[in-house]
């Protein structure tokens, strides 16, 4: 091993400045630990990044986050963000609707709130009233029971836990939904969030994850962060430096060093050896185990855990800066799910091909903040589920042809909702799963780490403790799961474990 310089002054090193890494570094630094955060890219954020084309600034990933209006939500993240000092630096706006679902012959907008959503569905599908009521009762019974469980509510009985939670372990959402609801339209509408964060259709999606996530969204809706994802990332960077932490960009970890069964530090790409007894990896667990540590040092039980689930789905999409306001195109919903038909399971199967996607979601950012783009313009992003596998096989020129061909099809599809869209494109940028993979290093370009099959439900995801003593993980692959809020919580969980092990006095944050 070649070493050009040895540094020995950090209590902890964090590899990767995605949201898990930023959150853990901020909490460690706030608690008085000397922390070094290293990031291979020239900008922090990982998936939570943005880019500029012409006069437009785009969010690369952020559409919205589950509402922060969540008192009583299990594992409520708001107090954590508040104590970290993050909420002082950010503004959130609540979106009025959960989503709009559009099909060739039908469309519906679901407003925030269980009663409102159920009401909208019952008005439109009176013949399915029994099934709709039963499925909402079931989802919310699971949600409320998990909430009680996490809050250690003394009124929670073993019988209730068994009936509403344990009895569903290993079951898919489809197994629960299909026997109760027969109308394919209702099935598709209630399952619409499959593509948004969960990434699997009813036939494969873990019931418990779907029930917990969707009940919260139905009840409380979405927030948008004012100022795009980089505002959040910059707030973290400010906090980390204000609390005395250090951040180095364009600094890739080449190795995580071990001695016996313990972590000893990190070797960077510049052959700088940074010693520390504690390392947090925001880098994905496949790179972490195979490249950064080495398979011979990893217990087989950890590999069995990694093999017990699949890498999650990715997305392809089209970012467009338009020379007209969205209202000129007739778009008045922030998030529109545009489906070619009602068979969600079949729509999912298309994500393994380079054929035209049978659904996309259309995000109109100016509907959250009217000044999202320069006056008189608007930003619309089209996104469709896609796995990396078919993209891998293409030689470079065919890759460009395929991404432009599919982008063109998505734009044509969107024109059914927004006639004239194409004529108003001032700038356009297309991304695929390979774009996300190149930027974050995540296998398959997954935005969510492991898939949310029953094997990937929150408690079964990777725990914060890594395979070597002193090594922790903070990212979408671990508990509690993917998405902006979950990844920030994964950072909190990893940092808390290190803080608990420090023998010097610390200013502990809950
Ligand atoms: C297109 C898209 C849309 C999305 N929309 C939403 C949304 O609307 N709402 C929502 O909540 N979530 C959304 N997500 C999901 C969310 O962005 C991710 O789940 C989350 O940001 C992942 O964070 P992470 O902590 O796992 O880190 P990642 O984002 O995976 O970042 C990991 C970081 O580690 C760095 N790294 C890796 N290896 C090394 C190394 N060896 N040395 C140094 N650095 C290294 C990488 O460069 C990267 O910066 C979206 C994602 C995508 C891609």
């Amino acid at each position: 091993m070649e070493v050009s310089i040895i540094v020995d002054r950090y209590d902890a090193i964090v590899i990767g400045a995605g949201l898990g890494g930023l959150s853990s570094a901020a909490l460690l630094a706030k608690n008085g630990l000397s922390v070094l955060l290293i990031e291979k890219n020239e900008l922090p954020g990982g998936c939570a990044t943005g880019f500029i084309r012409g006069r437009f600034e785009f969010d690369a990933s952020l559409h919205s986050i589950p509402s922060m209006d969540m008192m009583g939500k299990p594992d409520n993240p708001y107090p954590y963000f508040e104590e970290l000092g993050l909420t002082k630096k950010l503004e959130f706006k609540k979106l009025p609707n959960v989503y709009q679902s559009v099909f060739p012959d039908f469309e519906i907008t679901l407003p925030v709130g269980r009663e409102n959503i159920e009401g909208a569905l019952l008005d439109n599908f009176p013949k399915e009233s029994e099934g709709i009521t039963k499925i909402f009762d079931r989802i919310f019974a699971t949600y409320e029971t998990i909430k009680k469980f996490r809050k250690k509510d003394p009124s929670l009985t073993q019988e209730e836990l068994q009936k509403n939670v344990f009895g569903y372990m290993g079951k898919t959402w489809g197994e629960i939904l299909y026997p109760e609801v027969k109308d394919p339209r209702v099935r598709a509408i209630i399952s619409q969030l499959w593509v948004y964060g969960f990434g699997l259709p009813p036939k494969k999606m873990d019931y418990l994850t779907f029930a917990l996530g969707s009940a919260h969204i139905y009840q409380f809706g979405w927030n948008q962060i004012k100022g795009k994802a980089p505002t959040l990332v910059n707030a973290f960077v400010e906090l980390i430096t204000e609390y005395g932490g250090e951040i180095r960009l364009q600094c890739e970890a080449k190795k995580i060093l071990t001695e016996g069964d313990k972590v000893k530090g990190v070797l960077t790409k510049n052959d700088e050896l940074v010693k520390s007894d504690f390392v947090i990896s925001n880098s994905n667990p496949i790179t972490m185990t195979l490249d950064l540590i080495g398979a011979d040092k990893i217990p087989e039980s950890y590999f069995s855990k990694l093999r017990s689930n699949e890498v999650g789905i990715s997305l392809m999409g089209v970012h467009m800066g338009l020379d007209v306001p969205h209202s000129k195109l007739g778009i008045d919903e922030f998030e529109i799910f545009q489906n070619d038909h009602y068979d969600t399971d079949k729509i999912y199967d298309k994500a393994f091909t380079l054929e035209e996607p049978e659904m996309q979601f259309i995000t109109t950012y100016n509907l959250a903040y009217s000044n999202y783009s320069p006056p008189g313009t608007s930003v619309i992003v089209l996104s469709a589920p896609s796995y990396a596998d078919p993209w891998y096989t293409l030689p470079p020129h065919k890759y460009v042809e395929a991404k432009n061909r599919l982008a063109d099809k998505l734009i044509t599809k969107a024109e059914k909702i927004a006639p004239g869209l194409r004529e108003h494109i001032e700038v356009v940028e297309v991304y695929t799963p390979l774009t996300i993979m190149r930027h974050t290093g995540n296998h398959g370009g997954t935005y969510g780490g492991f898939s949310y099959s029953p094997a990937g439900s929150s408690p079964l995801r990777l725990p914060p403790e890594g395979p070597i003593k002193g090594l922790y993980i903070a990212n979408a692959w671990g508990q509690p799961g993917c998405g902006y809020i979950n990844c920030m919580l994964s950072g909190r969980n990893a940092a808390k474990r290190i803080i608990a092990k420090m023998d010097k006095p610390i200013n502990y944050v809950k």
Side-chain angles (χ1 to χ4, degrees), residues 443-459:
H443 291 72
T446 175
Y447 57 80
F450 289 117
S451 80
Y452 275 122
S453 68
S457 72
S458 185

Side-chain angles (χ1 to χ4, degrees), residues 13-32:
I13 305 164
V14 180
I15 301 173
L19 292 173
L22 287 163
S23 161
S24 59
L27 185 55
L28 291 172
K30 160 121 197 183
N31 281 276

